[in-house]
Each structure stands twice: as structure tokens, then as C-alpha cells.
Amino acid sequence: NANPELSALPDGWWNLGNPAWAKPYPYAPSITNITTSPARTDTNEFQRFSVGYNGTCSIFTPPESYWCSSDRSGGGASLFMVPSGMTMTSAMMNDRLWMNAVGAVVHMWQVYHWELWMFEVDLYNATSFSSEVQLGWHKGGFQGARGLVDTSNPRGGEWYIENLLVLLDNPNEFFYDAPSSTLYYFPNGTSTTPPPPSSSATYVASNMAVLINITATQQEPVKDVTIQNLLFRNAAYTYMDPHGIPSGGDWALQRSAAVFVEGSINLVVCGCHFDRVDGNGLMLSGFNRNATLADNEFSWIGDSAMLAWGYTNGIDGTVGDQPRGTRVLRNIVREIGMFQKQSSAWFQGRSAQTLLQNNIFFNGPRAGINFNDGFGGGSEIDANLLFNQCRESSDHGPFNSWDRLPFWTDVPGEPSLVPLYNEIHHNFFICNYGSS
């Protein structure tokens, strides 16, 4: 994770220069479905529900996105696509460095720092002791909704690479060579006790991304469950898991978290500590009513801390399969986005009537609170303290929202495309670092 207080890279980093980016793979054109009725008439923008299917959005699960629609608009509203590889030239490169490049993972900023992509390298070309290395991939790039934006000049932003044996150069690092089933480990050099021989050593690694899973339905929900005073930690990373597009905002998400809840009424999660969770912390998915998330602490989270993500039938959200009436109270969230920089302390998409009150959110790479759409409205943000947001990005602020897709909901009472007002009052937002 970058240290925004320093301009220098940490010890052990090599500057490999600016790569040449490979053009996106060719895809068949996406198919656009535009809902012309109902349409919003209270605004001159974003009046229609529009989604594109397949095409370059085939990498999403399901394969659909507003950004593959022919009716998309907004800042830099280009068709979604991502680069297919990169070619680097550097005097430091040689065949020894890259001999195990297949299986490595490239982490790359979108050029405007709106999202971070991860790609798993499956194509590699280099000549021994050559100054040029070519890497390619087919898996990845689905961790954000926007893509390249400038498709005439495909390029990524800052990047780094992991999971190479030659990069095993610091204490407590490891590398697993799958073809030979060999685990390499760099012991802690400051320890006065030498590591045990490999024949008697025990190494433990987490492969569980979801630690508590409560899954039910709107028709038969789970009621009155309380999760209290527990420590959740060491859940596995999920940034290479399938991602979908919540709505018309810039985000893509994996529908998972260390604590995952779908189909609940009156859920309470209180007094818990989520620490060193490498995916999302806590997610309310689909139908959830009147959940309370209170007095929890989130620290060193790989992606986002708390999320609410509902379902709709296209434009129609009247079935009610969304988180509604969620209360997020007195939580402390810090040091998030260790891997995915497009992350927040609180995210909501296709969700409504949330109360965010008396929370403290700080030290995040992007917005502290993100509303991906205006679904239903009726949310309230009151008496929260947010600071040190957008530490690793810009073009954002402590609070961010989009409303590019209209939804037909019964949140206002009678079904309507016009959401209720959200109220934001009595907060203290400090717009430092890259916040605007």
C-alpha cells in the first residue's frame, strides 16, 4: 500500500519505466437494451434506463453494464474495455527476472485513478538477457466499471507486479510455485530464533474469503440475528474473483465479504472488529430490512469495509429485493483499500433509506462514503467525521454519488422514478489529500 506522506518508493522497488500497452482483445459488439418507458421527466439528463450486454462486458458476472450501452453518457463515457497486455523496456530486465512470469499478477491504476485493475499473466515472451519483455493476460480487468476511457490511446496508469520468485526479497514474504508444488519462504531476519527445518515446519494460510454466511430469501428471511463482540481477520483476498456492475456508477464489485448476509430482517452486527480482512468486510446483499451495524471497527481491509448491494429486474425495483432501512452507527473505519483502491468505508448500490450517523471514517484511498446510484433515496448522512480520504486518488471527495440510471421503486410510496431526497447535514468533512 502506498504511503501518501512520501514521494519516494520503498526499498526493494525497481523502476521498470513506462510500458507500451497492448490494445484490447476484439469482441463482438454488445447488445443495448434501452427502457424508453417509463422515463424520468424531472431532469434533462439520464432519463432512461440503459444497459449493454456481452461484448467487452463479457468479463463481468453477469455480462452487463451501463458502460457497454450505446446510450451511456457522463464524463469520459467511452465503451468499456481494458488493455490486453504490456511491453516493457529496461536495462534491468533479463530472463532470470521474468522466467516465472506466468501466474504473476499485475496491479494497475486506471489512467485517471478512478479504479484499480488486476490481471493474471498467462502470456509471456522474452529473450534471455533481452531488454524487452511482453506480458499478456485474459483474466482480470473486471475490478472497475469504466475501463480505458480513451480507447484511441489504450494505456494504464501506475502499476506493480507480484507473485514472482525473484521478488522474494523481504522477511515474511512467500512464493508458491504451483507446477512444482514448492513453497518458498523468506524468514524474519530480525528474529533471534532460527526457522525450523522445512521437514518439521508448519505453515498456515487462509483460503476462506467468507467467514460467516447468512443466505436466505425475501420470502423466507432470517430474523433477529445478532453478531456481537467478535474478531474477524485473515479472510482471503477476492480481487480476482468474479465481479459485477452494481449500477450506473463507476464501481464493479465482487458479491462477497468476510460477513455476508442476504435475506434478513432486524440483523444486528455490533462491537466487532474486522482486521486484516483482504476482501470486503461486511456486505448486505439483496433483501435486507432494518439491519443495524453499530460500534464496529474496521482496519487494514483489502477492499471496502461495509457495503449494501441490492437486486432489481432491470429498471424495476418494486419487488423490494434490496437493503432498506439500514442503520450504520458509531463505526470506526480506517486503513482500507489495501488492494482495491476503488473502495469506501460505506458503499451502497440499488439500496435505499440508509441512516449513516456518528461514524468516523479516515485513511482511505478513495471516497469515504459512496452512493453508486440514486435508487429510491430517503437516506440520511448525519454527524459523521470524515478525513484523509482520496489519499491515493483524485477527482472525488469524502462523499461521492452518481445517479446515471433511473430506477422504478416504491420507496416514495407510490411507484416512481423520482427518488426521495437524501439528507446530508451536521457532518465534518475534511477535504485533504486528493479530495475535491
Side-chain angles (χ1 to χ4, degrees):
N1 197 49
N3 183 348
E5 303 289 352
L6 302 175
S7 59
L9 292 172
D11 293 340
W13 285 62
W14 300 338
N15 185 358
L16 299 181
N18 295 319
W21 303 98
K23 293 182 178 180
Y25 291 114
Y27 282 89
S30 58
I31 300 171
T32 297
N33 184 356
I34 301 174
T35 302
T36 57
S37 180
R40 288 188 67 168
T41 58
D42 63 316
T43 176
N44 294 324
E45 295 183 292
F46 308 112
Q47 295 174 311
R48 303 183 298 183
F49 185 90
S50 178
V51 174
Y53 299 90
N54 298 318
T56 56
C57 283
S58 297
I59 65 175
F60 295 118
T61 305
E64 61 186 50
S65 171
Y66 171 76
W67 298 106
C68 281
S69 162
S70 61
D71 195 43
R72 62 190 181 274
S73 61
S78 298
L79 177 70
F80 171 84
M81 56 182 66
V82 291
S84 61
M86 59 199 299
T87 299
M88 294 159 289
T89 302
S90 172
M92 294 189 66
M93 293 185 181
N94 55 55
D95 191 49
R96 173 182 171 274
L97 173 59
W98 298 99
M99 61 183 178
N100 291 321
V102 172
V105 177
V106 173
H107 296 241
M108 183 190 308
W109 269 113
Q110 190 261 11
V111 68
Y112 297 116
H113 301 141
W114 292 344
E115 61 205 30
L116 203 72
W117 303 321
M118 292 80 164
F119 300 97
E120 184 177 314
V121 175
D122 58 13
L123 298 173
Y124 157 69
N125 182 30
T127 304
S128 182
F129 296 99
S130 169
S131 61
E132 185 173 279
V133 172
Q134 296 176 334
L135 303 179
W137 44 72
H138 290 80
K139 181 180 180 181
F142 42 63
Q143 298 88 356
R146 295 302 305 272
L148 288 167
V149 179
D150 184 1
T151 55
S152 64
N153 181 25
R155 58 196 174 102
E158 298 85 352
W159 62 277
Y160 69 91
I161 192 167
E162 64 163 331
N163 202 36
L164 286 170
L165 178 58
V166 72
L167 301 181
L168 184 66
D169 56 5
N170 270 295
N172 296 326
E173 290 185 342
F174 68 90
F175 173 79
Y176 179 66
D177 182 39
S180 64
S181 298
T182 302
L183 176 66
Y184 297 84
Y185 175 67
F186 196 124
N188 188 344
T190 63
S191 174
T192 58
T193 304
S198 58
S199 58
S200 61
T202 299
Y203 296 93
V204 179
S206 172
N207 63 357
M208 293 183 64
V210 180
L211 305 181
I212 291 182
N213 185 345
I214 300 173
T215 300
T217 65
Q218 181 177 353
Q219 293 72 30
E220 298 184 27
V222 172
K223 300 180 180 180
D224 303 319
V225 171
T226 296
I227 302 172
Q228 186 173 6
N229 298 337
L230 297 179
L231 169 63
F232 298 97
R233 62 173 296 150
N234 300 337
Y237 71 83
T238 56
Y239 52 76
M240 294 304 296
D241 289 356
H243 284 54
I245 304 300
S247 50
D250 286 4
W251 280 48
L253 276 179
Q254 62 279 56
R255 200 178 280 274
S256 68
V259 175
F260 179 86
V261 182
E262 182 169 305
S264 79
I265 296 177
N266 297 333
L267 169 80
V268 176
V269 180
C270 63
C272 295
H273 187 187
F274 295 74
D275 183 53
R276 303 286 178 178
V277 170
D278 286 346
N280 294 315
L282 190 160
M283 176 176 283
L284 303 177
S285 170
F287 177 83
N288 287 275
R289 287 294 182 274
N290 304 323
T292 299
L293 316 178
D295 304 304
N296 302 290
E297 181 179 353
F298 297 80
S299 57
W300 304 103
I301 306 298
D303 288 35
S304 291
M306 298 173 284
L307 311 94
W309 181 12
Y311 299 100
T312 64
N313 182 15
I315 193 174
D316 188 358
T318 58
V319 173
D321 207 10
Q322 307 90 25
R324 300 189 189 185
T326 306
R327 304 191 327 145
V328 183
L329 312 173
R330 302 181 302 277
N331 299 282
I332 297 176
V333 180
R334 61 182 181 87
E335 273 72 43
I336 64 171
M338 297 296 102
F339 299 116
Q340 177 51 261
K341 305 306 176 185
Q342 188 186 62
S343 52
S344 290
W346 172 259
F347 167 92
Q348 71 179 51
R350 306 194 196 209
S351 306
Q353 298 169 299
T354 303
L355 172 63
L356 289 144
Q357 191 174 64
N358 294 323
N359 300 283
I360 301 176
F361 300 156
F362 63 101
N363 291 358
R366 207 86 173 98
I369 299 172
N370 189 77
F371 284 16
N372 209 59
D373 52 60
F375 180 96
S379 293
E380 183 179 1
I381 303 175
D382 167 40
N384 302 281
L385 171 62
L386 275 69
F387 61 97
N388 290 4
Q389 303 297 332
C390 298
R391 294 201 305 168
E392 300 174 66
S393 63
S394 58
D395 195 23
H396 237 19
F399 169 78
N400 178 76
S401 67
W402 294 287
D403 191 13
R404 298 186 181 110
L405 283 179
F407 289 99
W408 183 255
T409 83
D410 56 0
V411 175
E414 293 296 322
S416 174
L417 290 178
V418 181
L420 297 174
Y421 280 104
N422 296 316
E423 298 183 20
I424 305 175
H425 61 91
H426 294 92
N427 301 282
F428 190 5
F429 293 171
I430 301 177
C431 300
N432 53 346
Y433 290 100
S435 295
S436 56

